[in-house]
Amino acid sequence: MPASICSPHDIATLLERWLTARLEPAALAWLDEKLQAVAAGDKKTLFLSFGLTARKVGKNDLKLNSDDLAAASTLRPGWNPRFWTVDQAARVLFVLKFPATEAEPFVAVLDQLFAAGEVHELVALYQGLPLYPHQSALQLRCAEGQRTNIPAVFKAIAHHNPFPSEQLNEDQWNQLVLKCLFIGIALDPIFGIDDRANARLAKMLTDFAHERWAAKRQVSPELWRCVGPFADDAMLNDLEHVLKTGTEPERQAATLALESCPAPRAAQLINTSGLNPYHLSWSIIAAAST
Amino acid sequence: MHFIDPHIHMVSRTTDDYEALAAAGVKAIIEPAFWQGQPRTQIGSFQDYFSSLVGFERFRASQFGIHHYCTIGLNSKEANNEALAEQVIDLMPLYLTKEGVVAVGEIGYDDMTPTEEKFFRIQLELAKDVDLPILIHTPHRNKKVGTYRSMDVIEEHGIAPSRVIIDHNNEETCKEVLDRGYWCAFTIYPKTKMGNERMVDIVKQFGSDRVIVDSSADWGVSDALAVPKTANLMLQRGIAPTDIELVCYRNALTAYAQSGQFNESDWLNTAPVDQRLLFEGNSVLRGGQTPRVEETAEQGIIR
Ligand SMILES: [Zn+2]
């Protein structure tokens, strides 16, 4: 995402508008005062206020309406703050207000916030990744976050967040998708999940499916979503196997995966499934299987 | 009965302990920052330790349905490395305001050196700045003198005793600690500190007002179930359930609730808004496990 399209200043203005409408006067006064100091480059106030945010502004849901969400995605394509809370919005606002003319010092300050972050802070920081300036300088941070063992933190990166699909290289992207399946979280909320499908990912995922099958364990039906477009003959055999022996959600998933596969054999397999791909959707399959 | 263990070092414990704690009815634990056996030589070691107390360890506990809180502080033993201690003090404000940090601690004396006292005093002032209660570690050697001296210094700094928990007390120190208005904690730790039969006698003699029981279980030979086991023994030996509830649950709650970060609603509400990120989707302990506290009468005694 080119920096010219996504303006941290405009995003900060939008976040401030949302918070102003939702916070009590005392909380708002605290926030205004601290934001001014942070905007002037006061690092100590940034660190302390960032930690205090939840106890000052609370943790209610932002409860954004469809107009708010539309404003968000206009300002920053792919940004979906539907599940954000007021403390998360305020914490991201603190980061956006801090002077960030140069990438290096900005990333250094951000690294300090990450290094000392507790769970709620880390979630807010990673949810804010697509909004910060110097996007390309944050790629390693995203990759580092993917290594977390805390599901809530991992989800903050993987779900409803356009940053990974824009900034991660193919290896990093593939690890993100595989880890979702590995720890049992949905693929459907991953922004760009279909756009970034690739042949190596398809191979990794079918290897993973074989490993699970060998251990007499199941795989999520969503796995086949990233396999379909790049399915080779061996993978088509797997999909045929799923069609014949899988659960209903798995058979639906195999049908949809085959629908996205250009090989002629895929169309033949769909005909044997008895399912109509036009009546199926990945979102419904995801909802039924996680 | 619900329990709180307000002093336990979970970074040194296994998931078996978490399962056993949950099965025994321990709802919340407080993990004080302390030394880890091997002295730290780099500021980064402290930073990563503090981060794990507010981060991964909290998450680990949540997987077992246990609510994890911590205290942040520079312990007296490592305070003697003055150059490093200065850096830790600079780092502390970053952590003291974090969610789930319920006190400054454990701080106080080890060998009672002037350097220890310097950093003890600095941290008392820090606690005043951020308006947090204080957890005092009393020394194992020269305990009586160290305990009294700790209280003198706290009072010199104008801190109300009701904001301070003095830990690792024994029969010799507790009267003075209670008389001066402090929370008086006892560590049920095999061999070195206090056994739970002695603890029963102390409650019989001194009552339950401001008395707190904890395990201080850590990397040494210690017992993570010391609080529920002691409660059980008290019940067997005729102490009233209301008194047991005070010393094994309510007093710790009242003392640390002064932080604003330690609320019974965190674990009594089924879906606490405050902690939903940690507790969402976690497989909380399966029901029906046999609580280890009630194995045999002999196993319930910690000497
Ligand atoms: Zn301790």
Side-chain angles (χ1 to χ4, degrees), chain A residues 7-231:
Chain A
S7 152
H9 176 266
D10 293 346
I11 290 164
T13 307
L14 184 62
L15 289 173
E16 270 183 294
R17 207 178 78 211
W18 290 344
L19 288 167
T20 304
R22 285 162 180 84
L23 295 185
E24 298 293 324
L28 203 55
W30 175 83
L31 186 65
D32 283 344
E33 186 199 322
K34 299 303 173 191
L35 283 173
Q36 276 186 28
V38 168
D42 180 349
K43 221 189 284 185
K44 195 176 170 204
T45 300
L46 172 68
F47 292 147
L48 288 178
S49 311
F50 192 83
L52 281 170
T53 301
R55 40 185 115 166
K56 295 293 184 182
V57 307
K59 290 185 175 178
N60 289 334
D61 288 322
L62 264 183
K63 293 205 188 85
L64 299 175
N65 61 33
S66 52
D67 288 346
D68 296 328
L69 292 171
S73 66
T74 305
L75 218 47
R76 174 63 172 95
W79 178 33
N80 181 358
R82 203 168 104 205
F83 300 108
W84 282 34
T85 53
V86 290
D87 55 312
Q88 292 168 351
R91 281 184 166 135
V92 170
L93 184 54
F94 274 123
V95 176
L96 291 174
K97 284 280 183 175
F98 193 75
T101 333
E102 300 289 325
E104 211 174 298
F106 173 73
V107 173
V109 167
L110 208 51
D111 281 345
Q112 280 176 280
L113 285 172
F114 274 107
E118 54 83 41
V119 178
H120 299 79
E121 294 172 9
L122 291 175
V123 167
L125 283 169
Y126 281 116
Q127 282 179 346
L129 266 186
L131 309 179
Y132 307 143
H134 311 296
Q135 290 279 286
S136 57
L138 302 173
Q139 191 239 29
L140 282 177
R141 167 52 57 192
C142 181
E144 172 65 24
Q146 283 174 239
R147 285 187 270 273
T148 181
N149 264 340
I150 304 177
V153 175
F154 187 78
K155 270 193 195 175
I157 297 167
H159 285 177
H160 308 295
N161 188 340
F163 188 94
S165 74
E166 290 168 2
Q167 298 292 340
L168 294 185
N169 65 34
E170 191 171 288
D171 285 338
Q172 292 165 331
W173 175 262
N174 292 350
Q175 288 297 337
L176 180 91
V177 175
L178 183 59
K179 185 159 174 179
C180 281
L181 292 166
F182 195 78
I183 66 177
I185 73 170
L187 297 190
D188 194 54
I190 300 178
F191 186 83
I193 182 72
D194 295 319
D195 297 342
R196 294 219 47 187
N198 61 78
R200 288 172 60 232
L201 178 59
K203 180 76 171 75
M204 282 166 80
L205 295 180
T206 46
D207 282 352
F208 175 66
H210 288 184
E211 193 183 304
R212 288 282 170 124
W213 287 343
K216 307 268 186 290
R217 296 168 69 188
Q218 292 216 310
V219 293
S220 164
E222 284 196 282
L223 178 145
W224 305 108
R225 182 170 183 167
C226 303
V227 173
F230 294 90

Side-chain angles (χ1 to χ4, degrees), chain A residues 47-48 51-52 54-55 59-61 85 88 91 112 115-121 123 149-152 155, chain B residues 47 51 54-56 58-59 93-101 132 259 261 273-278 280 282:
Chain A
F47 292 147
L48 288 178
L52 281 170
R55 40 185 115 166
K59 290 185 175 178
N60 289 334
D61 288 322
T85 53
Q88 292 168 351
R91 281 184 166 135
Q112 280 176 280
E118 54 83 41
V119 178
H120 299 79
E121 294 172 9
V123 167
N149 264 340
I150 304 177
K155 270 193 195 175
Chain B
Q47 167 136 31
S51 289
V54 298
F56 187 63
R58 272 199 110 184
F59 163 69
L94 196 53
Y95 288 91
L96 289 173
T97 56
K98 291 210 188 286
E99 196 168 328
V101 176
L132 279 178
S259 66
Q261 293 292 298
V273 160
D274 230 31
Q275 307 209 359
R276 61 188 165 187
L277 275 182
L278 269 170
E280 73 169 349
N282 285 327

